Amino acid sequence: MSDAIKHECGIAVIRLLKPLEYYREKYGSAFYGVNKMYLMMEKQHNRGQDGAGFASIKLDVNPGERYISRVRSNQSQPIQDIFSQINTRINNTLKENPEYENDVQLQKKHIPYLGELFLGHVRYGTYGKNSIENVQPLLRQNNWKHRNLIVAGNFNMTNVNELFDNLIRLGQHPKEKADTITVMEKIGHFLDDAVAKLYKEIKNEGYNKMEASPLIAERLNVAKILRKSAKNWDGGYAMAGLLGHGDSFVLRDPAGIRPAYYYHDDEIVVIASERPVIQTVFNVPFEKVEEITPGHAVIIKANGKISHKKILDPLERKACSFERIYFSRGSDAEIYKERKDLGRLLMPKVLDAINKDTSNTVFSYIPNTAETSFYGLVEAAQDELNKEKNRQILDEKETLTDERLTEILSRRLRTEKIAIKDVKLRTFITEDSSRDDLVAHVYDVTYGVIQPEDNLVIIDDSIVRGTTLKKSIIRMMDRLNPKSIVVVSSAPQIRYPDCYGIDMARLEDLVAFRAALELHKEKGTYDVVEKIYGECREQVGYPDTDVKNAVQQLYAPFTDEEISEKISQLLCTDDIRAKVKIIFQSVENLHKACPKNLGDWYFTGNYPTPGGNRVVNRAFINFYEGNKGRAY
């Protein structure tokens, strides 16, 4: 994605099922879990580079011994920073106490971060807030082990105001109106309630206070707590939690918007946002890593018992398609194939754009994450070239000479690495013209491979705002003096804001939205903007279930091709000499390529939860009123 956006988060959970001595003997270190957590988080650094956090819990410790450790960082290399802190603390303790070296129980008792249960989180600061207080995991502390709660997730709630008000009605005084805080406090409320009820029940059975504690841990019904907590949540989430006594869970939203995968054997339970992370770190095959069912939670009790419980009734599956197009690591077998298919399915449109002149066309990609789609595009182009060779041979079979046959067979597709991203440019200069000149040099180009009669085809993952295309990529491509520049997006036109964890909150930032507005101005139908605004305002007081997406009317009069043509005009400045055409994937082909991830609200406006419609209408109201605030 040539336009930078803040997006996603990554979670990692590890539960060791054997005593620490087992891992020391088999793998050479009692710090097996810590080491694996580092790898799990590092393999998901693509999901968040603004901050990272780590928490661990020791099981079965004596009163007075610290059993929860947490470290967070918002430094420029947060994962490396937190594990540098962890390793420094461990190594210093071992150096000062050499008697711990071969005694795992002494290590567990005296060295922080060494435990049986671990939670890691990597994040992007979606709201622009990146103070250390906003870095997860968050911790809710209590002297009762069972009431200690550690939470981290990949999520965004659309109804934070409602959740906040619910907490107030429960008698709480939340310190902040943020979805992370409200979610944790909601779970914490029902956790406190469950522990108090169990304590009273166990006391009535004749047990004393000390005897009650392990019985509470045994009887605590995590699934019931989650059902009560998540009852009114509206959003996309993969929510992880640890309880102080050792229970843990990961809950996935009922539409399956956010991803979560798990694997377990007799040694370990592991959960992550991406499948290949688990495959790589633990060397397990694709088929052994399972997806958490939407609306379900994987729950691991302190005694090691694992269950996969339904918490909420699953909705129609609308797993995020951007996971496949761009966010997730392309080393996943399914994602790799899907990204190639995204490129392959674009080939008919590309052939039309270059008048099937593959001989005078150079194919390339930008940025590096578009490389896999590029392979699919090129394979489809090669198939077309092979068909053309076959036709030529058959047409000329009566007069074909060895020289002519060699000439036909020697035709190759021309593929080049045209654009190379330079180190990210940062500057304190605020004057617009100066900044634009700097942005124009984000990419370097390869000179000497493009001829004046050539078409240049560049594939991108997706086009959000179009800023980098307009100010940098198209300008740089035009310096190569091609006949035409064809920019191909493996994603459809992004027309609507996201409200489930990706930072695309403002409609006017989306180039497809701006193109639709321009088309209405040209056709004299711009009054539809006021009509949509009126409908959005009218629905402000409606229950979420009754709210309709009024913004879809903006695009209804136009074909995809009309909007694509207008986008091409908006992103092409007067000084560009080449003919520029921008091509987008169709929604139909997106679904063909990614049949398990049908969440397409970015492109269609068909939000998977009721809160999505409220958010898009609020975003339109903000646009119309000139309010730069967020819609959620």
Side-chain angles (χ1 to χ4, degrees), residues 138-378:
L138 300 185
L139 171 61
R140 188 178 191 263
Q141 289 184 292
N142 194 285
N143 261 356
W144 285 60
K145 287 177 71 174
H146 325 85
R147 293 184 177 181
N148 282 282
L149 174 64
I150 306 171
V151 171
N154 170 20
F155 68 101
N156 197 70
M157 300 300 176
T158 70
N159 60 336
V160 177
N161 290 337
E162 178 189 341
L163 297 176
F164 183 84
D165 292 342
N166 286 343
L167 289 176
I168 294 172
R169 283 194 291 272
L170 290 171
Q172 293 194 18
H173 188 94
K175 63 181 181 180
E176 187 178 340
K177 187 185 284 190
D179 52 6
T180 311
I181 298 293
T182 53
V183 162
M184 182 176 70
E185 293 299 340
K186 189 75 175 290
I187 298 171
H189 169 81
F190 288 109
L191 173 62
D192 288 346
D193 187 56
V195 170
K197 287 178 179 177
L198 281 172
Y199 176 67
K200 185 176 181 180
E201 174 187 306
I202 291 167
K203 283 276 289 179
N204 289 339
E205 293 174 13
Y207 294 96
N208 64 37
K209 294 178 180 180
M210 287 186 62
E211 292 169 335
S213 189
L215 292 173
I216 291 172
E218 182 183 319
R219 298 184 191 181
L220 195 64
N221 189 334
V222 176
K224 187 174 181 180
I225 293 169
L226 292 177
R227 288 187 189 105
K228 290 181 177 180
S229 304
K231 184 178 179 181
N232 297 317
W233 292 356
D234 187 293
Y237 49 88
M239 193 75 61
L242 314 181
L243 307 185
H245 65 277
D247 286 358
S248 56
F249 65 87
V250 174
L251 169 63
R252 191 177 182 198
D253 68 84
I257 295 169
R258 301 271 74 93
Y261 297 87
Y262 73 105
Y263 163 79
H264 68 90
D265 55 28
D266 62 342
E267 292 184 358
I268 198 164
V269 185
V270 56
I271 304 171
S273 293
E274 298 194 24
R275 181 185 359 234
V277 172
I278 300 174
Q279 288 182 253
T280 300
V281 173
F282 294 93
N283 190 28
V284 295
F286 177 94
E287 61 274 8
K288 291 288 187 181
V289 182
E290 301 180 58
E291 190 176 2
I292 297 180
T293 304
H296 287 60
V298 170
I299 298 170
I300 312 154
K301 290 290 290 178
N303 61 13
K305 183 181 178 182
I306 305 157
S307 59
H308 192 203
K309 298 278 191 179
K310 187 176 84 168
I311 306 301
L312 298 165
D313 290 332
L315 303 173
E316 181 182 0
R317 181 185 168 95
K318 291 291 183 180
C320 171
S321 54
F322 253 125
E323 287 285 342
R324 323 305 275 186
I325 298 167
Y326 173 66
F327 293 147
S328 298
R329 294 173 80 89
S331 52
D332 182 282
E334 285 185 343
I335 292 174
Y336 185 80
K337 178 183 180 301
E338 289 169 13
R339 288 183 181 174
K340 285 188 73 174
D341 285 345
L342 286 169
R344 178 180 57 79
L345 291 166
L346 282 161
M347 197 59 216
K349 288 184 177 181
V350 173
L351 284 174
D352 287 343
I354 62 173
N355 294 317
K356 299 187 177 180
D357 184 9
T358 54
S359 296
N360 293 306
T361 299
V362 174
F363 295 88
S364 193
Y365 59 92
I366 189 169
N368 287 342
T369 48
E371 185 176 8
T372 307
S373 294
F374 167 75
Y375 290 144
L377 181 72
V378 168

